[in-house]
């Protein structure tokens, strides 16, 4: 299989092209999200790592990497979405504004008495489910989590430690989502899913809004560094919720001056790439086993909310072989000079991996590199969305060289 496939989404910069309104990604909404997360126990911004030697090596001005392995001790970013969505759901249920319900109020005996016993349900490859279970546990509520076939035991165990009832199914991710939804319908559980479909869009939007804390932190950190915004942002996508959230806020903040965005997906689950390549404005699904080492991106059906944002605002979509993610993991694990070492998992490293592959194969991918306009003035931002959430898988790639020049 070819190393990568790409498509240039030329309509995203066409001022005559109708763009979906960026509902929910205005500054007030993002401020509410940020303040809620700051109220959670042990909150602190995750590091924005300046990979100065890597930038010099590849002939660009800056390479920054946001390290989400440091998020609340959970080794991944997903808790940002699940925690905020649960907070918003409870605020709606209680008839209060989210600003009236910081964490110390949500855990009070008075609020628990008003809410009674609740059960939150979700489907996950690991990180999202752990975040939902973590928040439910801290609110002294219940959670049920379904995982797709082939899920790593380490990820199962991490969710179970948060008190959730966890099951690894014999289903792919999208069918596990349907199973979770059936449980919600049959038992009155509350579905907290990080993808949307017709009729289920409110909670997925809240989850996406939750992810905006990442880019809020990045903007503040860059200002503290004395730097301007990045020129290029590499964003990984499964259903597209994370990528759509970051893209939506970037589009709101910077409008037509926003950075060039590259969406990265695995070949085995490239529903955003497939949808943009179809060029008909509609989302297109990928079916089957969705085989990839990038377990967090093994999703075949685009989130209907994020799809519209990515369709109307992202510039490039790249479908990647697993080798690209594996390369990113190894590069970050073996830094140049005094650059910081970052432990990045399979789904976290694909953006940085793609940047390095393109930089080293400029001639082979000249058309793409020319379109990207990456040069000595470029400032690259990648976001490592997870650490080694599957330690054995991480060791197999970094120690044993798995998925190297296959």
């Amino acid at each position: 299989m070819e190393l990568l496939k790409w498509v240039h989404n030329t309509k995203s910069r066409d001022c005559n092209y109708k763009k979906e309104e960026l509902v929910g990604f205005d500054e007030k909404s993002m401020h509410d999200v940020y303040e809620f997360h700051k109220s959670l126990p042990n909150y602190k911004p995750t590091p924005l790592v300046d990979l100065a030697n890597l930038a010099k090596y590849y002939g660009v001005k800056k390479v920054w990497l946001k390290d989400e392995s440091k998020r609340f001790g959970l080794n991944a970013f997903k808790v940002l979405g699940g925690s905020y969505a649960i907070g918003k759901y409870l605020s709606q249920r209680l008839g209060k504004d989210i600003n009236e319900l910081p964490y110390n109020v949500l855990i009070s005996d008075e609020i628990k008495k008003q809410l009674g016993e609740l059960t939150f349900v979700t489907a996950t490859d690991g990180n999202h489910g752990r975040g939902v279970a973590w928040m439910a546990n801290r609110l002294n509520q219940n959670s049920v989590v379904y995982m797709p076939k082939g899920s790593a035991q380490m990820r199962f165990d991490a969710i179970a430690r948060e008190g959730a009832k966890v099951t690894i199914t014999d289903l792919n991710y999208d069918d596990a989502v349907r199973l979770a939804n059936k449980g919600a319908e049959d038992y009155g559980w509350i579905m907290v899913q990080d993808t949307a479909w017709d009729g289920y869009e409110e909670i997925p939007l809240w989850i996406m809004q939750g992810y905006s804390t990442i880019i809020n932190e990045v903007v503040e950190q860059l200002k503290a560094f004395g730097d301007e915004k990045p020129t290029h942002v590499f964003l990984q996508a499964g259903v597209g919720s994370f990528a759509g959230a970051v893209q939506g806020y970037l589009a709101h903040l910077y409008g037509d001056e926003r950075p060039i965005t590259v969406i990265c997906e695995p070949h085995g689950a490239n529903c955003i790439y497939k949808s943009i390549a179809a060029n008909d404005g509609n989302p297109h699904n990928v079916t089957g086993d969705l085989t990839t080492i990038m377990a967090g991106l093994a999703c075949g059906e685009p989130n209907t909310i994020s799809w519209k944002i990515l369709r109307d605002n992202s510039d490039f979509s790249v479908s990647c072989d697993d080798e690209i993610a594996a390369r990113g993991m190894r590069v970050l694990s073996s830094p140049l000079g005094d650059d910081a070492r970052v432990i990045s998992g399979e789904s976290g490293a694909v953006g940085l991996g793609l940047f390095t592959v393109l930089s080293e194969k400029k001639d082979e991918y000249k058309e793409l590199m020319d379109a990207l306009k990456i040069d000595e003035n470029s400032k690259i931002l990648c976001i490592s969305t997870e650490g080694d959430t599957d330690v054995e898988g991480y060791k197999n790639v970094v120690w044993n060289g798995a998925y190297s020049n296959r």
Side-chain angles (χ1 to χ4, degrees), residues 9 47 50 52 86 108 143 153 246 316 327 342 354 378 389 402 405:
N9 184 22
D50 185 352
I86 288 173
S108 67
S143 59
Q153 185 65 38
V246 176
F316 295 87
R327 176 180 175 77
V342 177
L354 178 58
S378 296
T389 56
N405 298 319

Side-chain angles (χ1 to χ4, degrees), residues 58-78:
Y58 285 121
V60 297
K61 189 171 184 179
K62 288 285 184 180
V63 176
W64 294 297
L65 186 90
K66 182 73 165 162
D67 182 7
E68 286 297 300
S69 72
K70 311 297 185 185
R71 185 67 68 183
F72 291 119
L74 296 177
N75 214 9
F77 80 107
K78 286 279 192 174

Side-chain angles (χ1 to χ4, degrees), residues 86-98 101 106:
I86 288 173
K88 280 288 285 185
Y89 171 83
L90 296 179
S91 72
Q92 189 178 78
R93 188 167 179 132
L94 293 165
K96 296 179 179 290
D97 190 276
I98 187 69
L101 294 169
L106 278 178

Side-chain angles (χ1 to χ4, degrees), residues 109-396:
D109 292 339
E110 179 185 352
I111 293 297
K112 181 59 190 286
K113 185 177 179 180
Q114 291 179 53
L115 291 171
E117 188 167 314
L118 305 174
T119 298
F120 299 96
V121 62
T122 194
T124 184
D125 68 277
N127 295 335
H128 170 69
R130 188 180 182 189
V132 169
W134 180 88
M135 190 64 180
N137 190 25
R138 275 143 190 81
L139 297 176
N140 198 24
Q141 299 289 1
N142 307 308
S143 59
V144 175
V145 178
Y146 295 107
M147 303 184 74
K149 60 185 174 181
S151 294
Q153 185 65 38
M154 180 179 172
R155 291 175 179 140
F156 174 98
D157 293 342
I159 296 170
R161 282 196 297 271
E162 298 296 342
K165 181 181 177 182
V166 197
T167 303
I168 296 180
T169 70
D170 61 355
L171 307 170
N172 70 16
Y173 170 80
D174 299 299
D175 287 334
V177 170
R178 282 182 267 276
L179 179 63
N181 191 51
K182 187 176 188 304
E185 292 173 349
D186 290 349
Y187 305 115
W189 298 339
I190 302 144
M191 180 83 163
V192 185
Q193 198 58 50
D194 54 346
T195 188
W197 55 86
D198 290 340
Y200 183 74
E201 294 182 320
E202 190 170 49
I203 286 176
L205 175 60
W206 295 338
I207 290 173
M208 289 178 63
Q209 289 176 326
Y211 298 154
S212 70
T213 285
I214 295 172
I215 199 66
N216 250 324
E217 290 177 357
V218 168
V219 169
E220 288 188 354
Q221 288 166 323
L222 287 178
K223 286 179 181 177
F225 290 167
D227 282 304
E228 299 175 356
K229 67 180 186 293
T231 60
H232 298 77
V233 180
F234 286 72
L235 297 172
Q236 53 271 59
V239 297
S241 297
F242 159 75
V246 176
Q247 179 70 83
Y249 197 32
L250 288 172
H252 173 79
L253 285 175
Y254 302 119
D256 290 338
E257 299 302 314
R258 65 187 181 277
I260 293 170
T261 308
V262 184
I263 307 301
C264 316
E265 293 172 285
H267 283 328
N270 56 0
C271 57
I272 303 299
Y273 168 83
K274 184 177 181 180
S275 300
I276 290 178
N279 199 32
D280 61 6
N282 299 314
H284 293 265
N285 297 342
V286 174
T287 58
D289 288 340
L290 310 176
T291 303
T292 173
I293 62 168
M294 294 173 257
L297 309 182
C299 313
E301 300 178 14
N303 176 331
T304 54
I305 302 170
S306 59
W307 158 242
K308 294 172 184 176
I309 294 172
L310 296 176
R311 178 196 67 192
D312 294 355
N313 297 279
S314 62
D315 299 289
F316 295 87
S317 182
V318 182
S319 177
C320 301
D321 188 87
D322 284 349
E323 179 185 327
I324 292 177
R327 176 180 175 77
M329 294 166 69
R330 287 189 285 268
V331 169
L332 289 169
S333 180
S334 303
L336 296 174
D338 59 357
D339 284 356
R341 178 173 182 250
V342 177
I343 297 176
S344 181
E346 299 87 344
S347 299
V350 63
L352 191 281
L354 178 58
F355 166 70
T356 67
V357 166
L358 292 176
S359 296
E360 292 192 6
K361 296 179 180 289
K362 291 180 181 179
D363 292 339
E364 185 174 347
Y365 298 108
K366 186 177 186 305
E367 184 180 359
L368 174 54
M369 289 297 283
D370 287 348
L372 282 169
K373 300 176 183 177
I374 293 177
D375 58 25
E376 67 277 7
N377 295 310
S378 296
K379 294 176 282 188
I380 312 297
L381 171 65
C382 299
I383 301 172
S384 177
T385 47
E386 64 174 4
D388 54 347
T389 56
D390 175 9
V391 169
E392 291 305 313
Y394 181 85
K395 285 166 60 180
N396 193 36

